[in-house]
Amino acid sequence: MSLRGSQTKNGTAALFFGLVLLLSMPFYALGLLHFSLPFAEALPLSALLALVPAIAALGLVARHSGVAAAGGFFKSAFTIGGTPNAGWVILALGFMPAAFALTAGLIWLSGAALPPVHWLSASAIIPAFALFFLGAVGEELGWQGYATPRLIKRYSPLQTALIIGVVWALWHIIPFALMGRNGMWIFWQGGTMVLMRIIIVWLAMNTHRSILVAVLFHMMSNSVWGIFTDFAPYYDPMLMCVVLLAPVIAIVALWEHTTFGRRQDS
């Protein structure tokens, strides 16, 4: 699929993707140093990569429409907009924790020897949620706030989700490799991320393109790791891919002939 024509007055999705890649290079290099964030020792310094999509998007909006427009664009990540009811917000918050719980349950049922779960202390949980919220804003302001509206003028929401999902997964290959993940883990995690992006775009299309709903979904997918500090033994990306596949198939089947299956011209 060509990205030609996927543009508005504020630039193209292809330009955004290229700028994200360029700005990511220093953060990829930081990953080689194996330093941790001073305020979150469990996270590598390269985790600041999460801010790159927002930086790229804000820079492009400011360049084409001015600083005031960029400020308004930034604020859009913190407003719920015209969400029709609280059910969509609850779904965004609960979807990935439920999927993680199901995945962990399947691993446990398989008879795998699992270590005891270690929780963050109560005093650390709120800062962890705040950290993952800001990281989600950093990513979704770019992927959902900037790239999606530009692609969706040429492609259907499903096609848009697939394009961004693939780019999103490829963008994570180097960080995952620097974390010591093997090729199969990275492959299945990439598939999981594509499925997650389909869910994110579906949630946004049903909440008047709310960036905040996308942020909440993204935040909760990462917050499981923030609360359960040794969740890795309870997670298998191949199982997560399988767990997410059924709801994604249902989403595509049920919404294919409505807003999720048609180009959005406005």
Side-chain angles (χ1 to χ4, degrees):
M1 288 181 284
S2 170
L3 299 184
R4 183 180 299 175
S6 306
Q7 62 182 7
T8 68
K9 65 180 181 179
N10 291 327
T12 66
L15 177 61
F16 167 74
F17 292 148
L19 185 57
V20 166
L21 178 61
L22 180 65
L23 294 176
S24 296
M25 294 302 175
F27 295 94
Y28 289 153
L30 282 175
L32 296 171
L33 302 178
H34 302 293
F35 291 147
S36 298
L37 291 172
F39 47 85
E41 294 183 1
L43 294 175
L45 195 59
S46 57
L48 293 172
L49 182 72
L51 302 177
V52 166
I55 293 170
L58 287 166
L60 289 171
V61 173
R63 178 189 175 194
H64 290 280
S65 299
V67 175
F73 174 64
F74 179 74
K75 291 178 183 178
S76 68
F78 302 91
T79 56
I80 202 66
T83 303
N85 58 61
W88 291 105
V89 177
I90 294 170
L91 184 60
L93 289 169
F95 199 109
M96 287 309 294
F100 273 113
L102 181 54
T103 302
L106 291 173
I107 294 174
W108 178 76
L109 287 173
S110 73
L114 299 173
V117 173
H118 295 289
W119 293 66
L120 280 181
S121 65
S123 61
I125 287 179
I126 293 178
F129 271 112
L131 180 66
F132 286 116
F133 177 79
L134 291 175
V137 169
E139 289 207 41
E140 294 306 327
L141 200 61
W143 306 125
Q144 192 59 38
Y146 190 91
T148 297
R150 284 149 184 81
L151 287 169
I152 219 166
K153 288 185 174 295
R154 181 172 178 84
Y155 306 107
S156 72
L158 177 58
Q159 292 171 321
T160 295
L162 290 171
I163 293 170
I164 296 176
V166 169
V167 172
W168 191 33
L170 292 174
W171 184 63
H172 277 84
I173 287 178
I174 292 177
F176 288 153
L178 292 173
M179 291 168 61
R181 305 300 187 184
N182 61 39
M184 288 304 296
W185 193 100
I186 293 173
F187 172 80
W188 286 110
Q189 182 64 16
T192 293
M193 295 179 75
V194 172
L195 295 176
M196 287 173 59
R197 184 53 53 182
I198 292 173
I199 297 168
I200 289 172
V201 172
W202 169 69
L203 287 169
M205 294 305 298
N206 283 283
T207 53
H208 303 289
R209 306 188 189 184
S210 170
I211 300 173
L212 181 58
V213 167
V215 167
L216 294 177
F217 178 94
H218 194 141
M219 175 194 73
M220 292 306 297
S221 71
N222 289 330
S223 292
V224 175
W225 299 91
I227 296 172
F228 300 105
T229 56
D230 62 349
F231 195 75
Y234 295 82
Y235 178 73
D236 183 328
M238 183 177 71
L239 278 179
M240 179 60 80
C241 204
V242 172
V243 165
L244 293 181
L245 187 59
V248 166
I249 290 174
I251 286 168
V252 173
L254 293 173
W255 274 264
E256 180 183 7
H257 301 296
T258 57
T259 57
F260 204 63
R262 296 198 305 262
R263 259 181 51 190
Q264 307 293 305
D265 294 319
S266 59

